[in-house]
Amino acid sequence: MNEESRLLSSQVKDPNSPDKKSEKDYSKYFQAIYTPPSLKEAKKRGKEEVAYHNDFAIAEEFRGMGQNRKFYIRTYGCQMNEHDTEVMAGIFMQLGYEPTDTVDDANVILLNTCAIRENAENKVFGELGHLKHLKQNNPDVLIGVCGCMSQEESVVNKILKTYNQVDMIFGTHNIHRLPNILNEAYLSKEMVIEVWSKEGDVIENLPRVRKGSIKAWVNIMYGCDKFCTYCIVPYTRGKERSRRPEDIIQEIRHLAAQGYKEVTLLGQNVNAYGKDFEDLDYRFGDLMEDLRKIDVARIRFMTSHPRDFDDHLIEVLAKGGNLVDHIHLPVQSGSSEILKIMARKYSREHYLELVNKIKTAIPNASLTTDIIVGFPNETDEQFEETMSLYKEVGFEIAYTYIYSPREGTPAAKMVDNVPMEVKKERLQRLNKLVNDMSAEAMKKHDGQIVEVLVEGESKNNPDVLAGYTSKSKLVNFKGPKEIIGQLVQVKITDAKTWSLTGELVEVPNGQKVGI
Ligand code: SAH
Ligand code: SF4
Ligand code: F3S
């Protein structure tokens, strides 16, 4: 039986199928349950209108689906995925499921996956291997794969061929369809696959169960149209589409009213915010200007692309207030030639010019970055340019990666003459510089009084509290548990490479403590 008829036959058993009535309807129904991903389709980005939906609701027939059942979601990858997990958890809760933090007593296990590099994918395949025994012991358990890997044809084919413990695969555009997908999986007991390849939709009223009550993530836009030649994200996340400003502002006002202290705005390239509005001249700088007026202590954003970082945005960020003095500005390489073949659309000189503008307007700004080493045919000289740019900018932290070819991207077709040994050695050298400069940046805080948002007990020592400064530096210090969730003043007494140690100076009501 081929895949199509296998899935088709599984539907014949479905007594609730609304489309069982006629041949024509039936084929429509079949489409909905088996839509495999296509990288080619994902690249065909038309000018179709972004459709905004505000009508998400759990269908009557699915209510109570989760009664006496528990869900477990393991999240890989970036904040975007973390936040999608919060949405899926919200949907599970509305269906009546309870959360659990162990796979052993879960009735549904989801792996929310990341496709950015090969090792991210290998972790997921390894985990699927581990989960096989659970399925053998309890055939009723459902295992699902979602997130960015599901958007890749090769991954879906590999799962179909090798991992028959998987019950459902759904894509990043199909999250709101979770109730229908679960329903199919319960009924058919066959692998249910629903992955839409390109999508221009924004769905507004999805439920969410947020992790924590101090910091929150808020999507401001979805997708990416940059197509950097090494990157899979434009294929896995669809085209750039912005949420309407009023929806974002309302969500953040609501978070502020609930007592959240910090909001991180999410988008693959937040500086492109608003470029897709046809009826509105409203960009990221305008949004930040409006968000400054909301009573939430800190507003951050992830990630900004140097290309769309305009003067208005710099001007607004310079006003400070709740807009933090930390900018993550991925550079990827210090060589203009490499940047060109990466299709980043800026040169080393442009990047440095932008950094200068930022530093002039916001002298206190901390800059952090992402760097890829060992891009195909990167020469020693080109790598040295990355090292020198790193020093010249004075980055405080970098996330550094060895280039990983991603199937379907232009860079994956490039012949590469750089041996892996050389790439590893370059990464080591770069990481040494990153460590040294992080330590240097930390040292600057020694003896200073910094404002810390207290997040909880330190992971390593429950007697110590931990929190972050506006520049995202981890601070450990002793203090009463009552100040968790508050902004407090801490005097730094010791600066390590990755964290600071200090003493509590003042709690918010102005009372002096300790010294
Ligand atoms: N939208 C963000 C990046 C998101 S991906 C931006 O453009 O800045 C996070 C980081 O992963 C990237 O900045 C890049 O450094 C790294 N990355 C992406 N694709 C990669 C690949 N194929 N191999 C190695 N690193 C990669
Ligand atoms: Fe990937 Fe480039 Fe888009 Fe960032 S901007 S997500 S690196 S394609
Ligand atoms: Fe990974 Fe997808 Fe994020 S590929 S980095 S989870 S957008």
Side-chain angles (χ1 to χ4, degrees):
M1 210 191 301
N2 69 19
E3 196 48 46
E4 295 191 1
S5 48
R6 189 171 73 95
L7 283 153
L8 213 56
S9 71
S10 78
Q11 291 315 302
V12 179
K13 289 183 279 174
D14 176 358
N16 297 325
S17 168
D19 296 324
K20 229 173 61 175
K21 294 163 246 140
S22 74
E23 279 292 320
K24 203 162 150 258
D25 287 350
Y26 192 85
S27 74
K28 204 173 79 198
Y29 188 58
F30 161 72
Q31 276 297 321
I33 64 148
Y34 187 71
T35 44
S38 154
L39 290 184
K40 230 182 185 165
E41 278 304 306
K43 187 145 194 186
K44 281 193 215 148
R45 209 148 279 189
K47 284 239 177 276
E48 77 264 39
E49 292 267 307
V50 174
Y52 290 86
H53 301 273
N54 216 348
D55 54 358
F56 177 84
I58 302 285
E60 201 53 53
E61 59 186 305
F62 302 144
R63 280 178 205 277
M65 182 196 275
Q67 222 171 13
N68 302 319
R69 285 173 168 158
K70 291 182 180 167
F71 72 94
Y72 173 92
I73 310 176
R74 179 160 299 172
T75 314
Y76 302 81
C78 66
Q79 288 88 346
M80 204 78 70
N81 256 17
E82 296 275 356
H83 190 44
D84 285 349
T85 289
E86 295 183 331
V87 172
M88 291 191 286
I91 297 176
F92 272 117
M93 301 293 276
Q94 284 199 347
L95 289 168
Y97 287 82
E98 266 181 57
T100 170
D101 49 16
T102 130
V103 288
D104 296 318
D105 65 348
N107 304 90
V108 183
I109 300 165
L110 290 186
L111 303 187
N112 190 7
T113 63
C114 171
I116 202 82
R117 283 168 290 275
E118 195 184 350
N119 57 2
E121 297 201 348
N122 288 342
K123 277 190 221 158
V124 171
F125 288 122
E127 187 57 27
L128 282 176
H130 292 142
L131 293 176
K132 192 166 186 156
H133 79 277
L134 280 178
K135 188 80 186 170
Q136 281 159 349
N137 297 345
N138 177 9
D140 290 336
V141 98
L142 287 184
I143 299 179
V145 175
C146 57
C148 288
M149 277 170 74
S150 310
Q151 297 290 142
E152 293 179 282
E153 279 165 81
S154 57
V155 168
V156 171
N157 290 335
K158 185 168 170 177
I159 294 176
L160 274 166
K161 214 166 128 203
T162 329
Y163 296 91
N164 61 7
Q165 62 270 44
V166 173
D167 301 281
M168 42 191 182
I169 305 177
F170 59 97
T172 55
H173 307 301
N174 306 74
I175 286 175
H176 63 291
R177 299 259 314 150
L178 181 57
N180 308 64
I181 293 162
L182 285 166
N183 188 49
E184 291 307 331
Y186 283 125
L187 290 171
S188 70
K189 297 286 176 206
E190 298 280 351
M191 204 185 288
V192 174
I193 302 167
E194 186 181 288
V195 184
W196 296 338
S197 283
K198 56 173 180 159
E199 187 57 17
D201 287 3
V202 172
I203 299 172
E204 271 311 330
N205 63 332
L206 292 168
R208 290 177 187 90
V209 175
R210 294 190 192 269
K211 208 166 116 193
S213 54
I214 303 166
K215 302 201 292 190
W217 288 303
V218 172
N219 281 122
I220 64 164
M221 59 186 301
Y222 303 95
C224 181
D225 285 347
K226 293 288 171 286
F227 289 99
C228 302
T229 53
Y230 51 83
C231 185
I232 194 78
V233 172
Y235 308 87
T236 65
R237 291 274 167 181
K239 70 172 194 164
E240 276 176 6
R241 53 214 190 271
S242 306
R243 288 180 69 196
R244 303 295 296 186
E246 58 276 17
D247 291 324
I248 298 169
I249 291 168
Q250 190 196 39
E251 183 175 344
I252 297 177
R253 280 213 183 109
H254 191 221
L255 289 167
Q258 288 174 291
Y260 281 89
K261 296 288 190 304
E262 183 175 307
V263 166
T264 303
L265 310 176
L266 296 181
Q268 284 304 340
N269 167 19
V270 290
N271 302 322
Y273 177 78
K275 276 173 101 177
D276 53 323
F277 292 148
E278 277 174 9
D279 58 333
L280 201 61
D281 183 18
Y282 187 95
R283 301 288 301 273
F284 189 49
D286 301 305
L287 179 68
M288 292 304 262
E289 181 71 61
D290 280 340
L291 299 183
R292 285 185 64 233
K293 298 167 196 147
I294 300 181
D295 188 17
V296 64
R298 287 180 181 171
I299 296 191
R300 306 183 179 280
F301 52 89
M302 286 284 271
T303 296
S304 47
H305 189 295
R307 193 165 133 204
D308 299 311
F309 212 112
D310 59 35
D311 292 350
H312 180 228
L313 175 62
I314 298 176
E315 199 184 296
V316 176
L317 293 179
K319 296 181 185 174
N322 60 359
L323 309 182
V324 301
D325 49 359
H326 170 201
I327 299 170
H328 187 67
L329 194 62
V331 65
Q332 314 300 357
S333 167
S335 149
S336 292
E337 287 118 343
I338 292 286
L339 288 168
K340 192 159 187 204
I341 27 178
M342 284 179 165
R344 290 290 286 181
K345 310 264 169 58
Y346 56 83
S347 62
R348 175 190 177 97
E349 291 68 35
H350 280 130
Y351 188 90
L352 286 172
E353 215 173 281
L354 174 61
V355 165
N356 273 338
K357 271 197 212 168
I358 294 174
K359 285 185 174 172
T360 309
I362 319 165
N364 198 27
S366 297
L367 293 169
T368 57
T369 199
D370 291 351
I371 291 173
I372 296 176
V373 300
F375 192 74
N377 310 312
E378 182 190 58
T379 63
D380 277 335
E381 290 73 28
Q382 289 166 336
F383 171 68
E384 289 308 329
E385 287 188 80
T386 298
M387 295 286 278
S388 71
L389 178 108
Y390 197 87
K391 289 180 219 160
E392 191 168 338
V393 173
F395 287 116
E396 297 199 353
I397 286 181
Y399 299 95
T400 57
Y401 310 100
I402 288 185
Y403 164 71
S404 170
R406 305 284 66 215
E407 197 181 320
T409 62
K413 295 187 200 86
M414 294 175 192
V415 184
D416 186 2
N417 66 8
V418 189
M420 187 45 92
E421 277 317 300
V422 173
K423 296 186 190 216
K424 284 188 180 159
E425 192 218 316
R426 286 181 191 162
L427 182 72
Q428 254 176 19
R429 282 188 52 211
L430 176 62
N431 283 347
K432 164 96 176 55
L433 177 66
V434 170
N435 286 7
D436 291 350
M437 288 189 50
S438 171
E440 216 173 280
M442 290 301 217
K443 264 226 159 59
K444 281 192 231 150
H445 293 290
D446 210 354
Q448 269 184 359
I449 292 179
V450 293
E451 188 180 63
V452 177
L453 176 56
V454 192
E455 293 192 13
E457 291 168 4
S458 152
K459 276 190 201 130
N460 308 322
N461 180 356
D463 295 335
V464 171
L465 295 175
Y468 287 87
T469 67
S470 62
K471 294 180 187 294
S472 306
K473 310 285 188 222
L474 174 63
V475 182
N476 292 304
F477 62 100
K478 287 204 164 139
K481 304 258 185 294
E482 296 77 67
I483 60 169
I484 292 174
Q486 297 186 31
L487 287 148
V488 298
Q489 303 294 316
V490 176
K491 180 163 185 192
I492 303 306
T493 53
D494 188 22
K496 304 189 179 68
T497 306
W498 303 115
S499 70
L500 302 166
T501 309
E503 287 164 0
L504 185 63
V505 177
E506 199 182 340
V507 288
N509 59 12
Q511 196 191 337
K512 301 267 177 208
V513 181
I515 56 169

